Short mmCIF file of all heavy atoms in Angstrom, two decimals:
data_model
loop_
_atom_site.label_atom_id
_atom_site.label_comp_id
_atom_site.label_asym_id
_atom_site.label_seq_id
_atom_site.Cartn_x
_atom_site.Cartn_y
_atom_site.Cartn_z
N LEU F 72 26.59 5.69 3.11
CA LEU F 72 27.52 6.17 4.15
C LEU F 72 26.91 7.35 4.91
O LEU F 72 27.05 7.46 6.13
CB LEU F 72 28.83 6.60 3.51
CG LEU F 72 29.68 5.46 2.89
CD1 LEU F 72 30.89 6.05 2.16
CD2 LEU F 72 30.10 4.48 3.95
N LEU F 73 26.22 8.22 4.18
CA LEU F 73 25.53 9.35 4.84
C LEU F 73 24.46 8.84 5.77
O LEU F 73 24.33 9.35 6.91
CB LEU F 73 24.94 10.26 3.77
CG LEU F 73 24.09 11.43 4.26
CD1 LEU F 73 24.91 12.41 5.11
CD2 LEU F 73 23.40 12.17 3.13
N THR F 74 23.74 7.83 5.33
CA THR F 74 22.69 7.27 6.21
C THR F 74 23.27 6.69 7.49
O THR F 74 22.74 6.89 8.57
CB THR F 74 21.89 6.20 5.45
OG1 THR F 74 21.28 6.77 4.28
CG2 THR F 74 20.86 5.55 6.34
N TYR F 75 24.38 5.95 7.36
CA TYR F 75 25.01 5.40 8.58
C TYR F 75 25.53 6.50 9.50
O TYR F 75 25.34 6.43 10.71
CB TYR F 75 26.16 4.46 8.18
CG TYR F 75 26.89 3.94 9.40
CD1 TYR F 75 26.29 2.99 10.23
CD2 TYR F 75 28.17 4.39 9.71
CE1 TYR F 75 26.92 2.53 11.36
CE2 TYR F 75 28.83 3.92 10.85
CZ TYR F 75 28.20 2.99 11.65
OH TYR F 75 28.84 2.53 12.79
N ALA F 76 26.17 7.51 8.91
CA ALA F 76 26.73 8.59 9.73
C ALA F 76 25.60 9.31 10.48
O ALA F 76 25.69 9.63 11.67
CB ALA F 76 27.50 9.61 8.85
N MET F 77 24.51 9.61 9.77
CA MET F 77 23.40 10.30 10.39
C MET F 77 22.69 9.46 11.40
O MET F 77 22.23 9.92 12.47
CB MET F 77 22.38 10.78 9.31
CG MET F 77 22.94 11.83 8.35
SD MET F 77 23.59 13.26 9.23
CE MET F 77 22.19 13.68 10.26
N THR F 78 22.55 8.17 11.13
CA THR F 78 21.90 7.27 12.06
C THR F 78 22.74 7.11 13.35
O THR F 78 22.19 7.03 14.45
CB THR F 78 21.71 5.85 11.44
OG1 THR F 78 20.94 6.01 10.23
CG2 THR F 78 20.94 4.94 12.39
N ALA F 79 24.07 7.11 13.18
CA ALA F 79 24.94 7.07 14.36
C ALA F 79 24.72 8.30 15.25
O ALA F 79 24.72 8.18 16.48
CB ALA F 79 26.39 6.95 13.94
N SER F 80 24.54 9.44 14.64
CA SER F 80 24.29 10.69 15.38
C SER F 80 22.97 10.59 16.13
O SER F 80 22.89 10.92 17.35
CB SER F 80 24.28 11.87 14.45
OG SER F 80 25.51 12.00 13.75
N VAL F 81 21.96 10.15 15.43
CA VAL F 81 20.61 10.05 16.05
C VAL F 81 20.61 8.99 17.18
O VAL F 81 20.10 9.20 18.26
CB VAL F 81 19.56 9.71 14.95
CG1 VAL F 81 18.22 9.37 15.62
CG2 VAL F 81 19.39 10.88 14.00
N ALA F 82 21.23 7.84 16.87
CA ALA F 82 21.19 6.70 17.80
C ALA F 82 22.01 6.98 19.07
O ALA F 82 21.65 6.54 20.14
CB ALA F 82 21.70 5.45 17.12
N GLU F 83 23.11 7.72 18.97
CA GLU F 83 23.90 8.03 20.15
C GLU F 83 23.09 8.87 21.12
O GLU F 83 23.19 8.67 22.31
CB GLU F 83 25.19 8.76 19.72
CG GLU F 83 26.27 8.76 20.78
CD GLU F 83 27.59 9.17 20.26
OE1 GLU F 83 28.05 8.55 19.27
OE2 GLU F 83 28.18 10.11 20.83
N VAL F 84 22.33 9.81 20.62
CA VAL F 84 21.47 10.61 21.47
C VAL F 84 20.39 9.74 22.05
O VAL F 84 20.06 9.81 23.26
CB VAL F 84 20.91 11.79 20.68
CG1 VAL F 84 19.95 12.63 21.55
CG2 VAL F 84 22.00 12.70 20.13
N SER F 85 19.75 8.94 21.22
CA SER F 85 18.62 8.12 21.67
C SER F 85 19.08 7.08 22.69
O SER F 85 18.34 6.77 23.65
CB SER F 85 17.97 7.43 20.49
OG SER F 85 17.51 8.39 19.53
N ALA F 86 20.24 6.49 22.51
CA ALA F 86 20.72 5.45 23.39
C ALA F 86 20.99 6.00 24.79
O ALA F 86 20.93 5.25 25.77
CB ALA F 86 22.02 4.82 22.84
N HIS F 87 21.30 7.28 24.92
CA HIS F 87 21.57 7.85 26.21
C HIS F 87 20.28 8.02 27.00
O HIS F 87 20.29 7.79 28.21
CB HIS F 87 22.29 9.21 26.07
CG HIS F 87 22.99 9.62 27.33
ND1 HIS F 87 24.29 9.28 27.60
CD2 HIS F 87 22.53 10.34 28.39
CE1 HIS F 87 24.62 9.76 28.78
NE2 HIS F 87 23.59 10.40 29.28
N MET F 88 19.24 8.39 26.31
CA MET F 88 17.95 8.58 26.99
C MET F 88 16.82 8.24 26.03
O MET F 88 16.24 9.12 25.39
CB MET F 88 17.80 10.00 27.54
CG MET F 88 16.60 10.15 28.46
SD MET F 88 16.54 11.78 29.28
CE MET F 88 16.22 12.82 27.88
N PRO F 89 16.50 6.96 25.86
CA PRO F 89 15.41 6.57 24.92
C PRO F 89 14.09 7.18 25.35
O PRO F 89 13.79 7.29 26.53
CB PRO F 89 15.38 5.03 25.05
CG PRO F 89 16.67 4.64 25.67
CD PRO F 89 17.05 5.80 26.58
N SER F 90 13.32 7.59 24.34
CA SER F 90 12.03 8.15 24.61
C SER F 90 11.13 7.94 23.43
O SER F 90 11.60 8.02 22.28
CB SER F 90 12.10 9.65 24.93
OG SER F 90 12.69 10.35 23.83
N HIS F 91 9.87 7.65 23.64
CA HIS F 91 8.92 7.41 22.58
C HIS F 91 8.80 8.70 21.74
O HIS F 91 8.62 9.79 22.28
CB HIS F 91 7.56 7.09 23.22
CG HIS F 91 6.55 6.63 22.23
ND1 HIS F 91 6.69 5.46 21.51
CD2 HIS F 91 5.35 7.13 21.91
CE1 HIS F 91 5.62 5.32 20.75
NE2 HIS F 91 4.81 6.30 20.96
N HIS F 92 8.96 8.56 20.42
CA HIS F 92 8.91 9.69 19.48
C HIS F 92 10.11 10.63 19.67
O HIS F 92 10.07 11.74 19.23
CB HIS F 92 7.61 10.47 19.61
CG HIS F 92 6.41 9.76 19.05
ND1 HIS F 92 6.28 9.41 17.76
CD2 HIS F 92 5.28 9.33 19.66
CE1 HIS F 92 5.12 8.80 17.55
NE2 HIS F 92 4.50 8.74 18.71
N GLY F 93 11.13 10.17 20.37
CA GLY F 93 12.25 11.06 20.66
C GLY F 93 12.93 11.61 19.44
O GLY F 93 13.19 12.82 19.35
N THR F 94 13.23 10.79 18.44
CA THR F 94 13.97 11.24 17.30
C THR F 94 13.13 12.15 16.41
O THR F 94 13.68 12.97 15.66
CB THR F 94 14.44 10.05 16.45
OG1 THR F 94 13.34 9.23 16.14
CG2 THR F 94 15.44 9.23 17.23
N LEU F 95 11.85 12.03 16.48
CA LEU F 95 10.96 12.79 15.60
C LEU F 95 10.47 14.08 16.22
O LEU F 95 10.19 15.08 15.57
CB LEU F 95 9.79 11.96 15.12
CG LEU F 95 10.10 10.77 14.22
CD1 LEU F 95 8.85 9.98 13.94
CD2 LEU F 95 10.77 11.20 12.97
N VAL F 96 10.29 14.10 17.58
CA VAL F 96 9.63 15.20 18.22
C VAL F 96 10.44 15.80 19.33
O VAL F 96 10.63 17.02 19.38
CB VAL F 96 8.23 14.78 18.75
CG1 VAL F 96 7.57 15.90 19.49
CG2 VAL F 96 7.35 14.31 17.61
#
Side-chain angles (χ1 to χ4, degrees):
L72 293 174
L73 175 64
T74 298
Y75 176 71
M77 295 305 308
T78 304
S80 301
V81 170
E83 197 167 306
V84 178
S85 301
H87 199 89
M88 190 172 68
S90 60
H91 189 62
H92 287 298
T94 55
L95 295 176
V96 177

